[in-house]
Amino acid sequence: MKIALAQLNYHIGNFPDNTAKIITAIRNAKNEKADLIVFAELAVGGYPAKDLLRNHRFLAECNQSLAEIASHCTDIACILGAPVKNEDLEGKPLYNGAVYLEKGAIKEVVHKSFLPDYDVFDEYRYFEPNKHFNCIEINGQKVALTVCEDLWDDDTANSYVGDLMSELRKEDPTLIINIAASPFSYTHFQNRLNVLKRNVIKAACPLVYVNQVGAHTDIIFDGRSLALDRNGDIISELHSFEEDFRIIDFGTELKTVAPRETSEIEMIHGALILGLRDYFRKSGFKKAILGLSGGLDSAVVAALACEALGAENVLAILLPSKYSSDHSIKDALDLVKNTGCEHQIIPIEDVALSFEKVLKNSFKGTTPDTTEENIQARVRGTILMALSNKFGHILLNTSNKSEAAVGYGTLYGDMAGSLSVIGDVYKTQAFALARYINREREIIPINTIVKPPSAELRPDQKDSDSLPPYEILDSVLFQLIELEKAGSEIVNSGFEESLVHRVSKLLNNAEFKRFQAPPILRVSPKAFGSGRVMPLVAKFSF
Amino acid sequence: MKIALAQLNYHIGNFPDNTAKIITAIRNAKNEKADLIVFAELAVGGYPAKDLLRNHRFLAECNQSLAEIASHCTDIACILGAPVKNEDLEGKPLYNGAVYLEKGAIKEVVHKSFLPDYDVFDEYRYFEPNKHFNCIEINGQKVALTVCEDLWDDDTANSYVGDLMSELRKEDPTLIINIAASPFSYTHFQNRLNVLKRNVIKAACPLVYVNQVGAHTDIIFDGRSLALDRNGDIISELHSFEEDFRIIDFGTELKTVAPRETSEIEMIHGALILGLRDYFRKSGFKKAILGLSGGLDSAVVAALACEALGAENVLAILLPSKYSSDHSIKDALDLVKNTGCEHQIIPIEDVALSFEKVLKNSFKGTTPDTTEENIQARVRGTILMALSNKFGHILLNTSNKSEAAVGYGTLYGDMAGSLSVIGDVYKTQAFALARYINREREIIPINTIVKPPSAELRPDQKDSDSLPPYEILDSVLFQLIELEKAGSEIVNSGFEESLVHRVSKLLNNAEFKRFQAPPILRVSPKAFGSGRVMPLVAKFSF
């Protein structure tokens, strides 16, 4: 059997574009005499469509698209994901379906069994789980047709609906097909490959895995679809972070390839570029604006934006104050030169003073504190938003994950923006990212990388005045957030108790700030956002 | 059997306070010779504890509390909700349990069967559903012990796990007990009463229903626990929006009472007062600040805050600009006088001008538009946040639901604040709320209520310049949001197509703004926030 793997980038709710793209792929597969073409989970409608799945017109359009796609499936079979009506009176109104099209019509529908609802997932909100487990016949093959999580045999985070794969294996499948919408994180590919291999070896048959590619605001899909032979070795690994199309002829002798070697930082870089590009393309904007301080974070975001959108679409604004050091302005200007983006310099001193003046009476008898620092940050936020409003540039937020975690940022000030580019990248990772960006030539000025981090909101301020060194801070945060450890476990592993206590308290106390943060491009297994929901008025620290 | 209904206000994660409160209620029930005391769903730990349910120490503290509470249950039985470990290897790690305590120990645990995960609910994220349906014996009674949603027989939004109540009815229960954490909305009490009645009549036995009371940031629980006789008539209806404790002796002749008559606006008012009060109490703050424009929304929020927190804890800031009319300042000052709250006047003109000055070069050749209006709103936001930061007052957001829906508000400007008080109250409801607040004496100046709404961001601006009349706007929005109708259905019901199209587009286009809005006190069946999740970069309008 000749199978085409179509790894496409869908746009949620954009039925004309998605359908056209799917039909083009079907045509290409037909031209190459493929017997079957496989698309990703919920290709029809896009994933995650969230509460659009409750909209009748959205669902009607899904059905229309499906009918149109089916009409092109003559001389070729097709498997693709779509929301499918639950005709029973009981349970949720939809299934997450793998639809098998043949001879111009829907021949069979398999429903997803394991519905993830941990981390960023909420599939029980919309879908009823499948409880009937059968293989289906395609071209004389007995196919274990599964949807994403269905193969995740080791994941006890699933609600238990039955032992899907061991039921399917009883029928001796000759092929496993898995259609997926499996979001990227820098640890996820290895887990995914292990799971797929384990399934292949248990069933002793080859596997075709087709993942979505593309970003939907915060969630990034890396693609990287796979075909494995019956030993679990890779026959084909599709591109990461871009569309791809491959045909595999299972009737011929199959050559295996080694898994693509990609470093963590290279993956994060690829994900952020795709995340940025898709946010702009899918929301219909071209131009980005950001504040450029001369520091590391804004330099990294500017460099990423220039790569993703083209330097001609990036406007960097330098907003110096009396606390800005000379090297900051020079470093920022060096970055502008290295990237070729546009820039403007707008000093904030006068506006900050005008705030101090109108607040003078109210503040009588008080001494300067973080309030005055916050005013500076909000003056910058307001100037950036004014330029964004006037010229239609989207403001990029430049906060990193370490800052977001401990609340080291000003709400409505440096926390402003439509999209947080590196809000899931710890400061130590941001340094590595800067070095990666500079791998061929100096884009981010070396001085930006080597100087001690500072918010420059008061004289001679350094991040290390109020925060532990980033190596230590990030390690504690990683254990609290990604590993979900309790404070006592971290102390037991050798960190100072007072430090762990302080960091944990800062993390908790900043929940109210993060609640109002922009969406954050997710690259880690546990990002701030919908994947980590905490009560705001609880009394509990880790 | 003598049963105590303990309707308490829990604080998520605050184990010492919650446990002490529960033990006090047990003591009181013992003093009154009750056989059984019933508390709400997830009373131990608090609900919704969200991802704290993934924290090992949080769960360990739940178990410790449970053990301590059990040790007080001598000479009395007790039913209360707690997260309970799933000892199986399969499925989610927890059950949402109704724990039956007797003779100082846990005697039995019943797991919740129907786990809601629509609207604001996400219980499948944490809990495995029960699949074994049995009544339990308490004091010679056969009790159908259920948890909240378990009785919602008509709700097809549930995933189907089996027909719980029809199984339990086979055992001929003599009493139904339901422990609940059922959030308030102004339509919910009637639905709840109908569901409870239907269950009672089918099972032909009385029912005890104990709900949580209290607010957890956005979600408000109204309490209003109930006891019904076997005919479905009310024997006891506990207070709305406050703690309550009642004992019912089912061994005596039971008198029925009529359901308490409460208007929609009275309920909304009660909910908002509790929401405000609990947000401050549970987050450890006392004082609120808000911007007072002389318009309706800020007047309503100020009046509510004065009632909830005491006028001495409310600081109203008048932030007039050159576009503020004289009557606005007078109306705002009248409200200050009527409520007795503190106030300050801080004109924003000079700061707005200083922004215009530094932006002059960048804006060369452009004409004034909403950018300049947004700057004014952000100057106000920054001044309010500066006072909040300096003196520790919490900034209240004063946007209403109509504005939030169509994006008629400035991000980081009038959309700033830690809590949105009336973000789930349409403008037309805000008018009704103002009249309700004035039911005994004029608190909100009449002129504030009768004058045409205006943002006063340019000369002679009126809301009706850019928006349809609020009666029409709110009606279309209600159909799009609460009733989740497609645009075509609304047009078919008699609204102009271009209007529906415009409102629907505004609603969609403002998703990115609402993503960064403060948490909103939820009073309707469909509030903005976690109960309505939409993709941000989709291409689809209703």
Side-chain angles (χ1 to χ4, degrees):
Chain A
M1 184 152 67
K2 230 170 151 178
I3 303 180
L5 283 66
Q7 173 180 296
L8 303 182
N9 188 340
Y10 306 100
H11 186 187
I12 294 165
N14 189 341
F15 291 96
D17 282 13
N18 293 342
T19 306
K21 194 175 262 200
I22 289 168
I23 290 170
T24 302
I26 291 172
R27 252 188 225 124
N28 293 342
K30 277 203 238 180
N31 288 343
E32 304 215 30
K33 310 268 179 253
D35 303 294
L36 172 69
I37 180 166
V38 183
F39 297 90
E41 178 182 9
L42 293 170
V44 175
Y47 178 91
K50 300 188 184 257
D51 282 4
L52 289 179
L53 289 168
R54 298 174 59 89
N55 185 282
H56 295 163
R57 196 165 66 73
F58 183 88
L59 296 172
E61 294 232 31
C62 285
N63 288 339
Q64 266 172 42
S65 282
L66 207 48
E68 195 184 337
I69 293 163
S71 73
H72 290 264
C73 295
T74 48
D75 312 317
I76 191 166
C78 169
I79 286 170
L80 88 174
V84 171
K85 198 176 171 199
N86 173 9
E87 303 285 353
D88 287 348
L89 283 174
E90 263 112 22
K92 300 297 172 96
L94 294 175
Y95 289 107
N96 181 342
V99 181
Y100 169 37
L101 305 170
E102 203 195 62
K103 295 185 184 141
I106 295 175
K107 187 160 181 214
E108 210 145 353
V109 179
V110 170
H111 305 144
K112 185 172 184 174
S113 299
F114 290 111
L115 300 173
D117 48 4
Y118 52 86
D119 197 62
V120 299
F121 299 105
D122 57 359
E123 293 191 25
Y124 264 99
R125 188 174 173 92
Y126 310 104
F127 300 115
E128 183 68 14
N130 173 45
K131 283 155 199 148
H132 311 286
F133 313 138
N134 297 101
C135 290
I136 67 167
E137 290 277 332
I138 302 181
N139 262 32
Q141 299 287 323
K142 190 164 275 179
V143 177
L145 178 54
T146 54
V147 183
C148 204
E149 199 83 2
D150 283 347
L151 291 184
W152 288 69
D153 49 344
D154 61 346
D155 201 332
T156 53
N158 281 313
S159 272
Y160 186 64
V161 292
D163 197 349
L164 170 68
M165 275 308 292
S166 67
E167 288 302 316
L168 295 185
R169 279 198 305 272
K170 286 180 191 161
E171 298 184 36
D172 287 323
T174 55
L175 176 67
I176 301 173
I177 293 180
N178 188 264
I179 63 171
S182 174
F184 169 76
S185 84
Y186 56 76
T187 60
H188 200 57
F189 180 73
Q190 196 52 51
N191 296 340
R192 192 194 283 162
L193 184 59
N194 294 343
V195 165
L196 297 181
K197 273 191 179 181
R198 211 159 45 233
N199 275 284
V200 158
I201 288 164
K202 273 194 202 161
C205 71
L207 172 143
V208 166
Y209 169 83
V210 179
N211 192 19
Q212 248 202 71
V213 69
H216 305 283
T217 315
D218 48 342
I219 310 297
I220 300 163
F221 296 93
D222 57 339
R224 216 171 174 177
S225 303
L226 288 164
L228 302 184
D229 69 14
R230 52 183 298 148
N231 304 314
D233 293 321
I234 299 177
I235 310 163
S236 187
E237 179 181 348
L238 276 64
H239 290 315
S240 299
F241 308 119
E242 52 185 288
E243 294 194 332
D244 201 356
F245 180 88
R246 306 266 179 103
I247 293 191
I248 294 158
D249 190 345
F250 283 91
T252 61
E253 204 184 328
L254 299 165
K255 273 187 214 136
T256 63
V257 294
R260 198 158 56 240
E261 294 282 342
T262 328
S263 73
E264 185 178 305
I265 283 299
E266 195 182 342
M267 285 193 275
I268 291 176
H269 175 262
L272 297 179
I273 294 293
L274 176 61
L276 265 164
R277 205 169 270 160
D278 270 9
Y279 183 84
F280 279 76
R281 189 173 60 85
K282 291 178 178 177
S283 58
F285 288 92
K286 277 197 126 168
K287 287 177 183 282
I289 186 173
L290 80 166
L292 202 65
S293 68
L296 186 82
D297 301 320
S298 58
V300 167
V301 173
L304 291 169
C306 288
E307 186 179 343
L309 311 172
E312 69 282 10
N313 290 316
V314 176
L315 173 58
I317 309 292
L318 282 67
L319 298 150
S321 78
K322 59 181 171 187
Y323 305 123
S324 301
S325 50
D326 295 341
H327 67 74
S328 292
I329 298 167
K330 184 184 176 305
D331 294 343
L333 290 174
D334 282 348
L335 182 117
V336 165
K337 202 175 65 190
N338 295 350
T339 56
C341 70
E342 240 190 289
H343 83 286
Q344 292 181 23
I345 303 180
I346 304 178
I348 65 163
E349 201 51 36
D350 290 350
V351 186
L353 276 173
S354 75
F355 272 112
E356 279 176 34
K357 218 167 127 194
V358 294
L359 286 164
K360 204 173 172 184
N361 263 332
S362 309
F363 281 9
K364 211 178 287 168
T366 68
T367 46
D369 55 15
T370 49
T371 305
E372 283 75 11
E373 303 182 19
N374 287 333
I375 289 174
Q376 294 173 62
R378 291 193 180 109
V379 169
R380 292 191 171 112
T382 301
I383 291 173
L384 290 167
M385 285 303 295
L387 291 161
S388 164
N389 292 160
K390 188 61 98 183
F391 301 106
H393 292 42
I394 296 289
L395 177 59
L396 296 178
N397 173 280
T398 62
S399 307
N400 64 56
K401 189 172 191 174
S402 314
E403 289 172 350
V406 296
Y408 197 73
T410 300
L411 210 46
Y412 323 135
D414 53 306
M415 287 183 69
S418 284
L419 184 70
S420 164
V421 181
I422 56 166
D424 196 28
V425 176
Y426 285 112
K427 186 78 174 189
T428 44
Q429 292 175 308
F431 278 109
L433 199 50
R435 287 192 200 94
Y436 180 79
I437 290 169
N438 281 359
R439 66 198 177 282
E440 288 174 0
R441 63 177 186 94
E442 184 176 318
I443 293 171
I444 295 176
I446 298 300
N447 195 45
T448 290
I449 301 178
V450 298
K451 69 186 174 185
S454 165
E456 299 197 331
L457 290 167
R458 56 173 185 266
D460 298 323
Q461 186 179 27
K462 300 217 167 26
D463 290 9
S464 55
D465 300 344
S466 45
L467 292 177
Y470 279 114
E471 288 71 23
I472 294 174
L473 177 65
D474 287 357
S475 170
V476 173
L477 288 171
F478 184 81
Q479 295 180 73
L480 286 169
I481 299 165
E482 273 83 352
L483 304 183
E484 298 184 86
K485 283 192 187 172
S488 55
E489 295 174 78
I490 302 172
V491 172
N492 289 343
S493 75
F495 288 83
E496 220 180 293
E497 186 162 2
S498 62
L499 171 90
V500 174
H501 184 76
R502 189 174 147 232
V503 172
S504 150
K505 215 171 154 172
L506 288 170
L507 178 64
N508 283 344
N509 288 350
E511 288 304 341
F512 85 98
K513 281 192 187 179
R514 285 191 298 269
F515 189 93
Q516 296 185 44
I520 295 170
L521 293 180
R522 178 186 181 273
V523 296
S524 83
K526 187 57 83 181
F528 294 126
S530 67
R532 185 179 178 279
V533 280
M534 289 290 170
L536 299 191
V537 297
K539 188 168 181 163
F540 188 81
S541 59
F542 314 117
Chain B
M1 184 153 67
K2 230 171 150 177
I3 302 181
L5 283 66
Q7 174 179 298
L8 304 182
N9 188 340
Y10 306 100
H11 185 189
I12 293 164
N14 189 339
F15 291 97
D17 283 12
N18 293 343
T19 306
K21 194 174 260 199
I22 289 168
I23 290 170
T24 302
I26 291 172
R27 253 188 223 123
N28 293 342
K30 277 204 238 178
N31 288 343
E32 303 214 30
K33 309 267 180 255
D35 302 294
L36 172 69
I37 180 166
V38 182
F39 296 90
E41 179 182 10
L42 292 171
V44 175
Y47 178 91
K50 301 187 184 255
D51 283 4
L52 289 179
L53 289 168
R54 298 173 59 90
N55 185 282
H56 295 162
R57 195 164 68 71
F58 183 88
L59 296 171
E61 295 231 31
C62 285
N63 288 339
Q64 265 171 41
S65 282
L66 207 49
E68 195 184 337
I69 293 162
S71 73
H72 290 263
C73 295
T74 48
D75 313 318
I76 190 166
C78 169
I79 286 170
L80 88 174
V84 171
K85 198 177 170 199
N86 173 9
E87 303 286 352
D88 286 348
L89 284 175
E90 263 112 21
K92 301 296 173 96
L94 294 174
Y95 288 108
N96 181 342
V99 181
Y100 169 36
L101 305 170
E102 202 195 61
K103 295 183 184 143
I106 296 175
K107 191 166 177 208
E108 212 146 351
V109 179
V110 170
H111 305 145
K112 186 171 183 175
S113 299
F114 291 111
L115 299 174
D117 48 5
Y118 52 86
D119 197 62
V120 299
F121 299 106
D122 56 0
E123 293 192 24
Y124 264 99
R125 186 173 173 92
Y126 310 104
F127 301 115
E128 183 67 15
N130 174 44
K131 282 154 200 151
H132 311 286
F133 313 138
N134 297 101
C135 290
I136 67 168
E137 290 278 334
I138 303 180
N139 262 31
Q141 299 287 322
K142 190 163 276 181
V143 177
L145 178 55
T146 55
V147 184
C148 205
E149 199 84 0
D150 283 347
L151 291 184
W152 287 70
D153 49 345
D154 61 346
D155 200 332
T156 53
N158 282 313
S159 272
Y160 186 63
V161 291
D163 197 350
L164 170 68
M165 275 308 291
S166 67
E167 289 300 317
L168 295 184
R169 279 198 304 272
K170 286 179 190 161
E171 299 184 35
D172 286 323
T174 56
L175 177 67
I176 301 174
I177 293 179
N178 188 265
I179 63 171
S182 174
F184 168 77
S185 84
Y186 56 75
T187 60
H188 200 57
F189 180 74
Q190 197 52 53
N191 296 341
R192 192 194 283 163
L193 185 60
N194 294 345
V195 165
L196 297 180
K197 273 190 180 182
R198 211 159 46 232
N199 275 285
V200 157
I201 288 163
K202 273 194 202 160
C205 70
L207 172 143
V208 166
Y209 169 84
V210 179
N211 191 19
Q212 249 202 72
V213 69
H216 304 283
T217 315
D218 48 342
I219 310 296
I220 300 164
F221 296 93
D222 57 339
R224 216 171 173 176
S225 302
L226 288 164
L228 303 184
D229 69 14
R230 54 184 296 149
N231 304 315
D233 293 322
I234 299 176
I235 309 162
S236 187
E237 179 182 349
L238 275 64
H239 290 316
S240 299
F241 308 117
E242 51 185 288
E243 294 194 332
D244 202 355
F245 179 88
R246 304 267 178 100
I247 292 190
I248 294 157
D249 190 345
F250 283 92
T252 61
E253 204 184 327
L254 298 166
K255 274 185 215 137
T256 62
V257 295
R260 198 157 57 241
E261 294 283 342
T262 328
S263 72
E264 185 179 304
I265 283 300
E266 195 181 343
M267 285 193 274
I268 292 176
H269 176 261
L272 297 180
I273 293 293
L274 177 60
L276 266 164
R277 205 169 269 159
D278 270 9
Y279 183 84
F280 279 77
R281 190 173 61 82
K282 292 178 178 176
S283 57
F285 288 92
K286 276 197 126 167
K287 287 178 183 283
I289 186 172
L290 80 166
L292 201 66
S293 69
L296 186 81
D297 302 319
S298 58
V300 166
V301 173
L304 291 169
C306 288
E307 185 178 344
L309 311 172
E312 69 282 10
N313 290 316
V314 177
L315 173 58
I317 311 291
L318 282 67
L319 297 150
S321 77
K322 58 182 172 186
Y323 306 122
S324 302
S325 50
D326 295 341
H327 67 74
S328 291
I329 298 166
K330 184 183 177 305
D331 294 343
L333 290 174
D334 282 349
L335 181 117
V336 165
K337 203 175 64 189
N338 295 351
T339 56
C341 69
E342 240 189 289
H343 83 286
Q344 292 181 24
I345 303 180
I346 303 179
I348 65 163
E349 201 52 35
D350 290 348
V351 186
L353 277 173
S354 74
F355 273 111
E356 280 176 33
K357 219 169 127 192
V358 295
L359 286 164
K360 205 172 171 184
N361 263 333
S362 310
F363 282 9
K364 212 178 288 169
T366 69
T367 46
D369 55 15
T370 51
T371 304
E372 283 75 10
E373 302 182 19
N374 288 333
I375 288 174
Q376 295 172 62
R378 292 193 179 110
V379 169
R380 292 190 171 112
T382 301
I383 291 173
L384 291 167
M385 284 305 294
L387 291 162
S388 164
N389 293 159
K390 188 61 101 183
F391 302 106
H393 292 41
I394 295 288
L395 177 59
L396 297 177
N397 172 281
T398 62
S399 307
N400 64 56
K401 189 173 191 172
S402 315
E403 289 171 350
V406 297
Y408 197 72
T410 301
L411 209 46
Y412 323 134
D414 54 305
M415 287 183 70
S418 285
L419 184 71
S420 164
V421 180
I422 56 167
D424 196 30
V425 175
Y426 286 113
K427 187 76 172 190
T428 45
Q429 291 174 307
F431 279 107
L433 199 49
R435 286 191 201 95
Y436 180 80
I437 290 168
N438 281 359
R439 65 200 178 280
E440 288 174 359
R441 63 179 185 91
E442 185 176 319
I443 292 171
I444 295 176
I446 298 300
N447 196 45
T448 290
I449 301 178
V450 299
K451 69 185 175 186
S454 165
E456 299 197 329
L457 290 168
R458 56 174 185 262
D460 297 323
Q461 185 179 28
K462 299 218 165 27
D463 290 8
S464 54
D465 300 343
S466 44
L467 293 176
Y470 279 115
E471 289 70 26
I472 295 175
L473 177 65
D474 287 357
S475 171
V476 173
L477 288 171
F478 183 82
Q479 294 179 75
L480 286 169
I481 298 165
E482 274 82 352
L483 304 183
E484 299 183 84
K485 283 192 189 172
S488 56
E489 294 174 79
I490 303 173
V491 173
N492 289 344
S493 76
F495 288 83
E496 219 180 293
E497 185 162 2
S498 63
L499 172 90
V500 173
H501 183 76
R502 189 174 147 231
V503 172
S504 152
K505 213 171 157 174
L506 288 170
L507 178 63
N508 283 344
N509 288 350
E511 289 303 343
F512 85 98
K513 281 193 188 182
R514 286 191 297 270
F515 188 93
Q516 296 185 44
I520 295 169
L521 292 180
R522 177 185 182 275
V523 297
S524 83
K526 188 57 83 181
F528 294 126
S530 67
R532 185 178 177 279
V533 280
M534 289 290 172
L536 299 191
V537 297
K539 188 166 180 164
F540 188 83
S541 59
F542 315 117

